[in-house]
Amino acid sequence: MSLSSFSIEPLRFREALGHYASGITVITSHIAGEPVGFTCQSFHSVSMSPPLVSFSVMSSSASYPKIRQAGRFAVNILSDEQVDISNQFARRGTDKWQGVAWQKSPLGNPIIVGSLHWLDCEIVAEHAAGDHLIVIGEVKALNLQEAAATQPLLYFKGQYRNIAAHGVV
């Protein structure tokens, strides 16, 4: 029996991937006087020289076409105190920015106040991959927060996790 005769059930695939812990980010941009953004856990570094990062987004995303049009984005790496921000930006059809404090990055992208760190990027490539797009950005500016007690917001097995407490947030 060849491997091609096996089919991967989407729910089982999602469950398997859920066993890989990931950080939570909010990808943001600013276009036509309006901030735009979405929660993203499929973010990673690509290259040190030049400094490149990547994120994946559903092809059907309502937010990403605006980010593509702007040609730039910020990666807001969320802290473990920003569960509500993660949930708010994961919703469709709502005002994701309601009550969210932010400031403009050097490239004009929204930086969410309280984020652990941020990266300011210009889009350099986009690749179709199944039902997602893989977006690659070149980092033009960044900020590392100095708050030693702040921890990243993690997602593992369908729940937010806290690194320091080794438990569910």
Side-chain angles (χ1 to χ4, degrees):
M1 181 180 275
S2 73
L3 286 178
S4 63
S5 64
F6 291 101
S7 69
I8 304 296
E9 296 175 29
L11 291 177
R12 189 83 171 128
F13 182 59
R14 184 177 184 161
E15 180 183 349
L17 294 179
H19 284 75
Y20 179 73
S22 63
I24 302 292
T25 68
V26 173
I27 307 296
T28 60
S29 193
H30 198 265
I31 188 160
E34 295 293 325
V36 61
F38 63 91
T39 299
C40 179
Q41 72 184 82
S42 59
F43 163 77
H44 64 276
S45 64
V46 174
S47 168
M48 296 296 284
S49 182
L52 300 176
V53 295
S54 176
F55 67 87
S56 296
V57 60
M58 292 277 301
S59 299
S60 61
S61 168
S63 300
Y64 181 65
K66 296 174 186 174
I67 294 170
R68 177 194 294 129
Q69 186 178 352
R72 57 185 161 65
F73 63 91
V75 179
N76 294 268
I77 300 170
L78 299 187
S79 77
D80 63 357
E81 298 172 354
Q82 294 179 301
V83 170
D84 291 341
I85 296 283
S86 175
N87 288 333
Q88 189 165 326
F89 279 85
R91 292 187 199 107
R92 287 180 168 253
T94 62
D95 180 3
K96 296 178 181 185
W97 294 93
Q98 177 72 34
V100 176
W102 61 277
Q103 57 197 26
K104 281 192 177 183
S105 72
L107 292 179
N109 297 310
I111 301 302
I112 298 171
V113 173
S115 294
L116 190 60
H117 304 303
W118 56 263
L119 305 166
D120 215 11
C121 308
E122 290 181 353
I123 296 173
V124 295
E126 178 183 295
H127 305 281
D131 61 0
H132 276 66
L133 298 170
I134 300 169
V135 181
I136 299 174
E138 183 171 354
V139 179
K140 298 296 186 176
L142 57 83
N143 185 28
L144 301 175
Q145 302 299 328
E146 299 301 324
T150 306
Q151 297 292 323
L153 181 59
L154 300 179
Y155 201 72
F156 179 66
K157 292 186 177 181
Q159 297 180 340
Y160 293 109
R161 303 290 177 143
N162 180 308
I163 236 178
H166 300 288
V168 177
V169 177

